[in-house]
Amino acid sequence: MARAGLSTERLVRAGAELADEVGFGQVTVSALARRFDVQVASLYSHVKSSQDLKTRIALLALEELADRAADALAGRAGKDALVAFADVYRDYARAHPGRYTAARLRLDPETAATSAGVRHAQMTRAILRGYDLTEPDETHAVRMLGSVFHGFVDLELSGGFSHSAPDSQQSWTRVLDALDALLRNWPAPA
Amino acid sequence: MARAGLSTERLVRAGAELADEVGFGQVTVSALARRFDVQVASLYSHVKSSQDLKTRIALLALEELADRAADALAGRAGKDALVAFADVYRDYARAHPGRYTAARLRLDPETAATSAGVRHAQMTRAILRGYDLTEPDETHAVRMLGSVFHGFVDLELSGGFSHSAPDSQQSWTRVLDALDALLRNWPAPA
DNA sequence: TGTATTTGCCTAAAGCTTTTAGGCAAATTA
DNA sequence: TAATTTGCCTAAAAGCTTTAGGCAAATACA
């Protein structure tokens, strides 16, 4: 019989596509085997388990996101950088909802430490260097930005803003305006 | 044989407890049947499907959250209300991680429209009435608050802030300070 | 080029979850 | 007490996960 040419790499890529098509929750080893027209057990030579597959998809998504974010940040600073960075998240989530969901998978600490998640944190700090925050406020701001971006995108993705005016794009723009204003004028502890 | 005294109500409650113990993702009809020491098929008289069970747990969590939020808001206004409301989310998520995850389940529009989610939106607006925002800025602010609360709590729940200083409580306090300052001084469009 | 080794996908099989169908017995109502 | 409803049961089919062991194709090497 001819071989299908499976590899961990190809499986993970196909898994990511599958996630975007049918939702990350529906990504199964079985579905992937069907896609390659191959017996389910065959995939277990390339992937340790269903969980392993999902983790690898998450890591792929994190890398793709970090790459795009790095591109977007090149040559930008201040609000320009903030908006470009934020838009990368939102656009990625809209274009690749399954991958984005995967990127939010809980990783165990050591996996997380060697993932592209680290680059995300570094880039967020790079943006904040355009504002005059000192520690520990910069850390608080890093966390706030992460919260807003993820929170907004999650809510938008799960339909929280649809069917209500104004459309979410307008809120996104105004929220980023507000964040920029806030960072330029970060308040002292109450 | 003696009857176990199952009911939709009891199943949903037990399902919520199970979710808090082993994670919402691990809530299955089978696991629930085991907990009641009953055959799996028996549960299908009380619950339409696995999805139905999960949706009901989500609705329960949304109601519990709304009830607590309403209690917390009673007699409070301004920043006091903002902080109390935000703390309800965070505390609930920490005390009931499985239920909180359930509360974030994507509901179909009609289910969502009759859920306690509506009360959440109303309460957020009530808080904002303590600040001088007019439409459409109030709506943008509603969305921003929802994003920050959910985003922060999600990140905290998935371990995003652990093992790094300062501890997340400090960031939470300062983020709420910042949000209060921002709402008191909401910027005009850029 | 022929042989040896590695690698890739296969069959088989066990265990778990979901869901439907039909049945008997316990609880409720009359 | 008899009739009806309700609750949990057994049985069974179908799908996903995972392990074990095997044959054949690809690769390495002489």
Side-chain angles (χ1 to χ4, degrees), chain A residues 106-162:
Chain A
R106 184 195 184 108
L107 301 175
D108 61 284
E110 41 180 319
T111 306
T114 61
S115 78
V118 177
R119 282 165 70 201
H120 289 272
Q122 287 169 344
M123 288 188 278
T124 307
R125 265 181 209 282
I127 290 167
L128 289 176
R129 248 168 261 131
Y131 298 89
D132 285 325
L133 295 172
T134 51
E135 287 299 351
D137 285 336
E138 190 174 284
T139 297
H140 299 319
V142 167
R143 292 169 174 181
M144 180 168 183
L145 288 186
S147 299
V148 177
F149 296 163
H150 285 305
F152 193 99
V153 168
D154 267 9
L155 285 175
E156 191 177 23
L157 213 60
S158 60
F161 300 151
S162 47

Tab-separated table of all heavy atoms in Angstrom, chain A residues 106-162:
chain	number	residue	atom	x	y	z
A	106	ARG	N	-4.829	25.646	28.315
A	106	ARG	CA	-3.971	25.688	29.491
A	106	ARG	C	-2.777	24.770	29.279
A	106	ARG	O	-2.945	23.571	29.067
A	106	ARG	CB	-4.780	25.243	30.706
A	106	ARG	CG	-4.033	25.347	31.992
A	106	ARG	CD	-4.712	24.566	33.093
A	106	ARG	NE	-4.020	24.760	34.338
A	106	ARG	CZ	-4.481	25.483	35.343
A	106	ARG	NH1	-5.659	26.047	35.244
A	106	ARG	NH2	-3.774	25.651	36.444
A	107	LEU	N	-1.595	25.321	29.346
A	107	LEU	CA	-0.381	24.514	29.185
A	107	LEU	C	0.244	24.290	30.555
A	107	LEU	O	0.133	25.139	31.434
A	107	LEU	CB	0.617	25.246	28.290
A	107	LEU	CG	0.135	25.599	26.877
A	107	LEU	CD1	1.182	26.434	26.160
A	107	LEU	CD2	-0.172	24.333	26.102
A	108	ASP	N	0.891	23.151	30.714
A	108	ASP	CA	1.574	22.980	31.987
A	108	ASP	C	2.776	23.934	32.013
A	108	ASP	O	3.318	24.297	30.977
A	108	ASP	CB	2.003	21.525	32.192
A	108	ASP	CG	2.950	21.066	31.125
A	108	ASP	OD1	2.477	20.805	30.005
A	108	ASP	OD2	4.161	20.990	31.403
A	109	PRO	N	3.174	24.356	33.205
A	109	PRO	CA	4.148	25.434	33.366
A	109	PRO	C	5.423	25.278	32.535
A	109	PRO	O	5.872	26.248	31.919
A	109	PRO	CB	4.465	25.380	34.861
A	109	PRO	CG	3.202	24.872	35.476
A	109	PRO	CD	2.662	23.878	34.489
A	110	GLU	N	5.985	24.070	32.481
A	110	GLU	CA	7.241	23.951	31.721
A	110	GLU	C	7.029	24.107	30.226
A	110	GLU	O	7.843	24.727	29.542
A	110	GLU	CB	7.960	22.641	32.045
A	110	GLU	CG	7.038	21.442	32.162
A	110	GLU	CD	7.802	20.160	32.482
A	110	GLU	OE1	8.872	19.973	31.894
A	110	GLU	OE2	7.308	19.358	33.296
A	111	THR	N	5.927	23.547	29.735
A	111	THR	CA	5.617	23.729	28.321
A	111	THR	C	5.414	25.214	28.024
A	111	THR	O	5.926	25.743	27.037
A	111	THR	CB	4.342	22.951	27.938
A	111	THR	OG1	4.484	21.598	28.317
A	111	THR	CG2	4.093	23.025	26.440
A	112	ALA	N	4.674	25.866	28.884
A	112	ALA	CA	4.401	27.284	28.692
A	112	ALA	C	5.693	28.097	28.672
A	112	ALA	O	5.855	29.025	27.874
A	112	ALA	CB	3.474	27.788	29.795
A	113	ALA	N	6.629	27.703	29.534
A	113	ALA	CA	7.862	28.471	29.664
A	113	ALA	C	8.714	28.431	28.400
A	113	ALA	O	9.476	29.346	28.127
A	113	ALA	CB	8.666	27.958	30.854
A	114	THR	N	8.585	27.363	27.622
A	114	THR	CA	9.387	27.257	26.397
A	114	THR	C	8.545	27.568	25.171
A	114	THR	O	8.986	27.376	24.047
A	114	THR	CB	9.979	25.838	26.254
A	114	THR	OG1	8.886	24.916	26.166
A	114	THR	CG2	10.832	25.480	27.440
A	115	SER	N	7.326	28.038	25.385
A	115	SER	CA	6.446	28.340	24.259
A	115	SER	C	6.619	29.781	23.817
A	115	SER	O	7.319	30.573	24.435
A	115	SER	CB	4.995	28.111	24.659
A	115	SER	OG	4.540	29.196	25.433
A	116	ALA	N	5.944	30.104	22.730
A	116	ALA	CA	5.993	31.464	22.208
A	116	ALA	C	5.258	32.438	23.122
A	116	ALA	O	5.312	33.647	22.917
A	116	ALA	CB	5.403	31.498	20.807
A	117	GLY	N	4.592	31.909	24.129
A	117	GLY	CA	3.915	32.770	25.087
A	117	GLY	C	4.885	33.768	25.711
A	117	GLY	O	4.521	34.903	26.017
A	118	VAL	N	6.107	33.324	25.852
A	118	VAL	CA	7.137	34.196	26.411
A	118	VAL	C	7.366	35.411	25.506
A	118	VAL	O	7.464	36.548	25.981
A	118	VAL	CB	8.459	33.410	26.585
A	118	VAL	CG1	9.561	34.312	27.101
A	118	VAL	CG2	8.244	32.232	27.527
A	119	ARG	N	7.416	35.163	24.211
A	119	ARG	CA	7.595	36.280	23.262
A	119	ARG	C	6.442	37.271	23.360
A	119	ARG	O	6.634	38.480	23.229
A	119	ARG	CB	7.673	35.745	21.833
A	119	ARG	CG	9.018	35.135	21.482
A	119	ARG	CD	8.930	34.305	20.209
A	119	ARG	NE	8.737	35.095	19.013
A	119	ARG	CZ	8.238	34.630	17.871
A	119	ARG	NH1	7.877	33.361	17.785
A	119	ARG	NH2	8.104	35.403	16.834
A	120	HIS	N	5.239	36.732	23.561
A	120	HIS	CA	4.081	37.619	23.680
A	120	HIS	C	4.262	38.596	24.837
A	120	HIS	O	4.035	39.798	24.696
A	120	HIS	CB	2.806	36.797	23.883
A	120	HIS	CG	2.376	36.056	22.658
A	120	HIS	ND1	1.563	36.618	21.712
A	120	HIS	CD2	2.672	34.820	22.203
A	120	HIS	CE1	1.364	35.741	20.729
A	120	HIS	NE2	2.031	34.642	21.008
A	121	ALA	N	4.690	38.063	25.948
A	121	ALA	CA	4.892	38.918	27.124
A	121	ALA	C	5.974	39.957	26.846
A	121	ALA	O	5.835	41.138	27.175
A	121	ALA	CB	5.268	38.050	28.323
A	122	GLN	N	7.046	39.523	26.185
A	122	GLN	CA	8.135	40.458	25.884
A	122	GLN	C	7.656	41.584	24.967
A	122	GLN	O	8.015	42.745	25.156
A	122	GLN	CB	9.293	39.709	25.208
A	122	GLN	CG	10.066	38.822	26.172
A	122	GLN	CD	11.028	37.877	25.446
A	122	GLN	OE1	10.907	37.674	24.229
A	122	GLN	NE2	11.970	37.308	26.191
A	123	MET	N	6.855	41.211	23.981
A	123	MET	CA	6.373	42.238	23.052
A	123	MET	C	5.440	43.219	23.743
A	123	MET	O	5.470	44.416	23.456
A	123	MET	CB	5.693	41.582	21.859
A	123	MET	CG	6.686	40.908	20.919
A	123	MET	SD	5.929	40.313	19.394
A	123	MET	CE	5.250	38.759	19.948
A	124	THR	N	4.629	42.692	24.653
A	124	THR	CA	3.737	43.600	25.374
A	124	THR	C	4.558	44.608	26.167
A	124	THR	O	4.264	45.806	26.184
A	124	THR	CB	2.823	42.809	26.321
A	124	THR	OG1	2.160	41.783	25.583
A	124	THR	CG2	1.776	43.719	26.943
A	125	ARG	N	5.622	44.125	26.782
A	125	ARG	CA	6.493	45.039	27.525
A	125	ARG	C	7.166	46.046	26.593
A	125	ARG	O	7.342	47.217	26.944
A	125	ARG	CB	7.570	44.257	28.277
A	125	ARG	CG	7.156	43.975	29.698
A	125	ARG	CD	8.190	43.222	30.508
A	125	ARG	NE	7.517	42.430	31.525
A	125	ARG	CZ	7.037	42.939	32.658
A	125	ARG	NH1	7.166	44.223	32.926
A	125	ARG	NH2	6.415	42.163	33.518
A	126	ALA	N	7.507	45.586	25.411
A	126	ALA	CA	8.137	46.489	24.445
A	126	ALA	C	7.194	47.643	24.112
A	126	ALA	O	7.605	48.805	24.023
A	126	ALA	CB	8.518	45.723	23.180
A	127	ILE	N	5.925	47.317	23.941
A	127	ILE	CA	4.948	48.370	23.655
A	127	ILE	C	4.868	49.358	24.801
A	127	ILE	O	4.839	50.579	24.607
A	127	ILE	CB	3.560	47.744	23.421
A	127	ILE	CG1	3.559	46.973	22.110
A	127	ILE	CG2	2.476	48.810	23.423
A	127	ILE	CD1	2.357	46.076	21.944
A	128	LEU	N	4.876	48.822	26.003
A	128	LEU	CA	4.711	49.680	27.176
A	128	LEU	C	5.909	50.588	27.385
A	128	LEU	O	5.814	51.596	28.087
A	128	LEU	CB	4.456	48.817	28.413
A	128	LEU	CG	3.066	48.173	28.404
A	128	LEU	CD1	2.895	47.253	29.590
A	128	LEU	CD2	1.987	49.258	28.411
A	129	ARG	N	7.024	50.228	26.785
A	129	ARG	CA	8.193	51.105	26.914
A	129	ARG	C	7.949	52.443	26.222
A	129	ARG	O	8.655	53.413	26.487
A	129	ARG	CB	9.446	50.399	26.375
A	129	ARG	CG	10.433	50.077	27.499
A	129	ARG	CD	11.525	49.139	27.050
A	129	ARG	NE	11.242	47.762	27.456
A	129	ARG	CZ	11.299	46.710	26.655
A	129	ARG	NH1	11.651	46.853	25.381
A	129	ARG	NH2	11.016	45.515	27.113
A	130	GLY	N	6.938	52.473	25.359
A	130	GLY	CA	6.558	53.736	24.732
A	130	GLY	C	5.744	54.627	25.663
A	130	GLY	O	5.414	55.760	25.315
A	131	TYR	N	5.411	54.089	26.810
A	131	TYR	CA	4.674	54.881	27.802
A	131	TYR	C	5.573	54.980	29.034
A	131	TYR	O	6.484	54.178	29.201
A	131	TYR	CB	3.348	54.194	28.155
A	131	TYR	CG	2.402	54.064	26.964
A	131	TYR	CD1	2.459	52.949	26.134
A	131	TYR	CD2	1.480	55.061	26.681
A	131	TYR	CE1	1.596	52.826	25.038
A	131	TYR	CE2	0.609	54.948	25.591
A	131	TYR	CZ	0.669	53.828	24.785
A	131	TYR	OH	-0.164	53.712	23.710
A	132	ASP	N	5.319	55.917	29.895
A	132	ASP	CA	6.248	56.085	31.014
A	132	ASP	C	5.802	55.343	32.266
A	132	ASP	O	5.442	55.967	33.257
A	132	ASP	CB	6.429	57.581	31.325
A	132	ASP	CG	7.301	58.239	30.279
A	132	ASP	OD1	8.233	57.571	29.778
A	132	ASP	OD2	7.062	59.419	29.957
A	133	LEU	N	5.865	54.050	32.198
A	133	LEU	CA	5.499	53.263	33.374
A	133	LEU	C	6.750	52.649	33.979
A	133	LEU	O	7.652	52.212	33.264
A	133	LEU	CB	4.543	52.148	32.978
A	133	LEU	CG	3.178	52.583	32.446
A	133	LEU	CD1	2.420	51.376	31.919
A	133	LEU	CD2	2.393	53.280	33.535
A	134	THR	N	6.791	52.606	35.285
A	134	THR	CA	7.903	51.919	35.945
A	134	THR	C	7.316	50.765	36.738
A	134	THR	O	6.119	50.727	37.023
A	134	THR	CB	8.651	52.871	36.900
A	134	THR	OG1	7.705	53.496	37.760
A	134	THR	CG2	9.394	53.926	36.093
A	135	GLU	N	8.186	49.822	37.069
A	135	GLU	CA	7.736	48.682	37.856
A	135	GLU	C	7.245	49.139	39.215
A	135	GLU	O	7.821	50.069	39.764
A	135	GLU	CB	8.872	47.676	38.019
A	135	GLU	CG	9.191	46.900	36.773
A	135	GLU	CD	8.024	46.058	36.255
A	135	GLU	OE1	7.004	45.933	36.952
A	135	GLU	OE2	8.140	45.552	35.143
A	136	PRO	N	6.232	48.484	39.777
A	136	PRO	CA	5.533	47.322	39.235
A	136	PRO	C	4.370	47.669	38.312
A	136	PRO	O	3.687	46.768	37.851
A	136	PRO	CB	4.985	46.645	40.498
A	136	PRO	CG	4.726	47.788	41.427
A	136	PRO	CD	5.760	48.834	41.124
A	137	ASP	N	4.190	48.975	38.028
A	137	ASP	CA	3.046	49.361	37.197
A	137	ASP	C	3.118	48.770	35.799
A	137	ASP	O	2.093	48.438	35.204
A	137	ASP	CB	2.933	50.887	37.120
A	137	ASP	CG	2.373	51.475	38.406
A	137	ASP	OD1	1.676	50.737	39.123
A	137	ASP	OD2	2.627	52.660	38.693
A	138	GLU	N	4.328	48.632	35.279
A	138	GLU	CA	4.436	48.057	33.941
A	138	GLU	C	3.876	46.633	33.942
A	138	GLU	O	3.178	46.229	33.011
A	138	GLU	CB	5.894	48.057	33.464
A	138	GLU	CG	6.003	47.691	31.987
A	138	GLU	CD	7.420	47.821	31.430
A	138	GLU	OE1	7.857	48.960	31.196
A	138	GLU	OE2	8.083	46.780	31.243
A	139	THR	N	4.178	45.893	34.975
A	139	THR	CA	3.644	44.528	35.068
A	139	THR	C	2.127	44.520	35.177
A	139	THR	O	1.445	43.729	34.512
A	139	THR	CB	4.257	43.796	36.281
A	139	THR	OG1	5.663	43.693	36.079
A	139	THR	CG2	3.667	42.408	36.416
A	140	HIS	N	1.610	45.428	35.986
A	140	HIS	CA	0.148	45.512	36.082
A	140	HIS	C	-0.443	45.819	34.709
A	140	HIS	O	-1.458	45.250	34.302
A	140	HIS	CB	-0.263	46.595	37.072
A	140	HIS	CG	0.229	46.355	38.460
A	140	HIS	ND1	0.233	45.110	39.048
A	140	HIS	CD2	0.760	47.194	39.391
A	140	HIS	CE1	0.727	45.196	40.274
A	140	HIS	NE2	1.070	46.452	40.504
A	141	ALA	N	0.211	46.715	34.003
A	141	ALA	CA	-0.289	47.108	32.677
A	141	ALA	C	-0.184	45.960	31.678
A	141	ALA	O	-1.079	45.769	30.842
A	141	ALA	CB	0.476	48.329	32.169
A	142	VAL	N	0.902	45.188	31.764
A	142	VAL	CA	1.033	44.008	30.895
A	142	VAL	C	-0.169	43.095	31.099
A	142	VAL	O	-0.796	42.620	30.146
A	142	VAL	CB	2.321	43.218	31.208
A	142	VAL	CG1	2.284	41.845	30.548
A	142	VAL	CG2	3.550	43.990	30.748
A	143	ARG	N	-0.485	42.882	32.348
A	143	ARG	CA	-1.598	41.981	32.665
A	143	ARG	C	-2.932	42.563	32.230
A	143	ARG	O	-3.820	41.835	31.763
A	143	ARG	CB	-1.592	41.694	34.170
A	143	ARG	CG	-0.373	40.848	34.557
A	143	ARG	CD	-0.173	40.745	36.056
A	143	ARG	NE	0.922	39.812	36.331
A	143	ARG	CZ	1.333	39.494	37.555
A	143	ARG	NH1	0.756	40.036	38.623
A	143	ARG	NH2	2.317	38.638	37.712
A	144	MET	N	-3.072	43.846	32.376
A	144	MET	CA	-4.330	44.463	31.961
A	144	MET	C	-4.496	44.373	30.452
A	144	MET	O	-5.579	44.036	29.963
A	144	MET	CB	-4.376	45.924	32.391
A	144	MET	CG	-5.686	46.576	31.972
A	144	MET	SD	-5.928	48.170	32.746
A	144	MET	CE	-7.560	48.576	32.122
A	145	LEU	N	-3.438	44.665	29.715
A	145	LEU	CA	-3.540	44.583	28.258
A	145	LEU	C	-3.890	43.163	27.823
A	145	LEU	O	-4.782	42.947	26.998
A	145	LEU	CB	-2.231	45.022	27.601
A	145	LEU	CG	-1.918	46.511	27.662
A	145	LEU	CD1	-0.666	46.821	26.859
A	145	LEU	CD2	-3.085	47.350	27.157
A	146	GLY	N	-3.196	42.201	28.396
A	146	GLY	CA	-3.498	40.807	28.057
A	146	GLY	C	-4.951	40.482	28.354
A	146	GLY	O	-5.633	39.827	27.560
A	147	SER	N	-5.422	40.964	29.489
A	147	SER	CA	-6.807	40.688	29.877
A	147	SER	C	-7.789	41.300	28.888
A	147	SER	O	-8.741	40.644	28.450
A	147	SER	CB	-7.080	41.258	31.270
A	147	SER	OG	-6.233	40.654	32.221
A	148	VAL	N	-7.580	42.540	28.536
A	148	VAL	CA	-8.515	43.214	27.624
A	148	VAL	C	-8.500	42.550	26.256
A	148	VAL	O	-9.555	42.250	25.694
A	148	VAL	CB	-8.176	44.709	27.468
A	148	VAL	CG1	-9.129	45.351	26.467
A	148	VAL	CG2	-8.257	45.422	28.802
A	149	PHE	N	-7.315	42.305	25.733
A	149	PHE	CA	-7.241	41.709	24.401
A	149	PHE	C	-7.928	40.353	24.384
A	149	PHE	O	-8.811	40.082	23.573
A	149	PHE	CB	-5.778	41.544	23.959
A	149	PHE	CG	-5.048	42.847	23.796
A	149	PHE	CD1	-3.657	42.877	23.741
A	149	PHE	CD2	-5.731	44.060	23.724
A	149	PHE	CE1	-2.971	44.082	23.602
A	149	PHE	CE2	-5.056	45.272	23.581
A	149	PHE	CZ	-3.665	45.278	23.521
A	150	HIS	N	-7.514	39.488	25.290
A	150	HIS	CA	-8.100	38.152	25.318
A	150	HIS	C	-9.581	38.213	25.640
A	150	HIS	O	-10.393	37.528	25.031
A	150	HIS	CB	-7.380	37.274	26.339
A	150	HIS	CG	-6.041	36.812	25.873
A	150	HIS	ND1	-5.874	36.135	24.689
A	150	HIS	CD2	-4.811	36.939	26.404
A	150	HIS	CE1	-4.579	35.861	24.525
A	150	HIS	NE2	-3.920	36.339	25.545
A	151	GLY	N	-9.922	39.041	26.603
A	151	GLY	CA	-11.315	39.125	27.015
A	151	GLY	C	-12.210	39.610	25.897
A	151	GLY	O	-13.255	39.005	25.613
A	152	PHE	N	-11.784	40.659	25.247
A	152	PHE	CA	-12.609	41.218	24.171
A	152	PHE	C	-12.749	40.218	23.030
A	152	PHE	O	-13.849	39.956	22.531
A	152	PHE	CB	-11.978	42.516	23.655
A	152	PHE	CG	-12.898	43.325	22.773
A	152	PHE	CD1	-13.604	44.399	23.281
A	152	PHE	CD2	-13.056	43.006	21.422
A	152	PHE	CE1	-14.457	45.155	22.468
A	152	PHE	CE2	-13.909	43.746	20.606
A	152	PHE	CZ	-14.616	44.825	21.130
A	153	VAL	N	-11.635	39.676	22.638
A	153	VAL	CA	-11.646	38.737	21.506
A	153	VAL	C	-12.483	37.501	21.831
A	153	VAL	O	-13.256	37.030	21.001
A	153	VAL	CB	-10.201	38.351	21.127
A	153	VAL	CG1	-10.186	37.182	20.166
A	153	VAL	CG2	-9.489	39.554	20.507
A	154	ASP	N	-12.358	37.013	23.039
A	154	ASP	CA	-13.161	35.868	23.458
A	154	ASP	C	-14.644	36.185	23.388
A	154	ASP	O	-15.447	35.412	22.860
A	154	ASP	CB	-12.829	35.494	24.908
A	154	ASP	CG	-11.750	34.428	24.987
A	154	ASP	OD1	-11.160	34.115	23.942
A	154	ASP	OD2	-11.501	33.932	26.088
A	155	LEU	N	-15.012	37.310	23.954
A	155	LEU	CA	-16.430	37.679	23.969
A	155	LEU	C	-16.947	37.858	22.548
A	155	LEU	O	-18.047	37.425	22.211
A	155	LEU	CB	-16.641	38.965	24.777
A	155	LEU	CG	-16.553	38.813	26.291
A	155	LEU	CD1	-16.659	40.164	26.983
A	155	LEU	CD2	-17.665	37.894	26.803
A	156	GLU	N	-16.130	38.493	21.719
A	156	GLU	CA	-16.544	38.708	20.334
A	156	GLU	C	-16.688	37.367	19.613
A	156	GLU	O	-17.654	37.139	18.888
A	156	GLU	CB	-15.499	39.577	19.621
A	156	GLU	CG	-15.968	40.078	18.273
A	156	GLU	CD	-14.951	41.003	17.629
A	156	GLU	OE1	-13.752	40.918	17.981
A	156	GLU	OE2	-15.349	41.795	16.763
A	157	LEU	N	-15.732	36.493	19.860
A	157	LEU	CA	-15.728	35.192	19.200
A	157	LEU	C	-16.925	34.351	19.617
A	157	LEU	O	-17.486	33.604	18.813
A	157	LEU	CB	-14.436	34.460	19.577
A	157	LEU	CG	-13.810	33.523	18.548
A	157	LEU	CD1	-13.462	34.305	17.291
A	157	LEU	CD2	-12.552	32.890	19.117
A	158	SER	N	-17.318	34.470	20.850
A	158	SER	CA	-18.441	33.653	21.310
A	158	SER	C	-19.770	34.382	21.106
A	158	SER	O	-20.778	34.009	21.675
A	158	SER	CB	-18.252	33.256	22.770
A	158	SER	OG	-18.179	34.392	23.589
A	159	GLY	N	-19.736	35.406	20.304
A	159	GLY	CA	-20.992	36.043	19.905
A	159	GLY	C	-21.558	37.029	20.899
A	159	GLY	O	-22.688	37.490	20.757
A	160	GLY	N	-20.779	37.362	21.924
A	160	GLY	CA	-21.277	38.235	22.981
A	160	GLY	C	-21.685	39.622	22.517
A	160	GLY	O	-22.516	40.271	23.148
A	161	PHE	N	-21.094	40.098	21.418
A	161	PHE	CA	-21.381	41.459	20.981
A	161	PHE	C	-22.271	41.510	19.747
A	161	PHE	O	-22.634	42.589	19.286
A	161	PHE	CB	-20.091	42.205	20.645
A	161	PHE	CG	-19.140	42.316	21.791
A	161	PHE	CD1	-17.779	42.400	21.564
A	161	PHE	CD2	-19.597	42.353	23.105
A	161	PHE	CE1	-16.886	42.518	22.617
A	161	PHE	CE2	-18.707	42.464	24.162
A	161	PHE	CZ	-17.353	42.545	23.914
A	162	SER	N	-22.564	40.349	19.204
A	162	SER	CA	-23.316	40.394	17.953
A	162	SER	C	-24.769	40.748	18.215
A	162	SER	O	-25.260	40.645	19.330
A	162	SER	CB	-23.204	39.052	17.233
A	162	SER	OG	-23.444	37.992	18.111
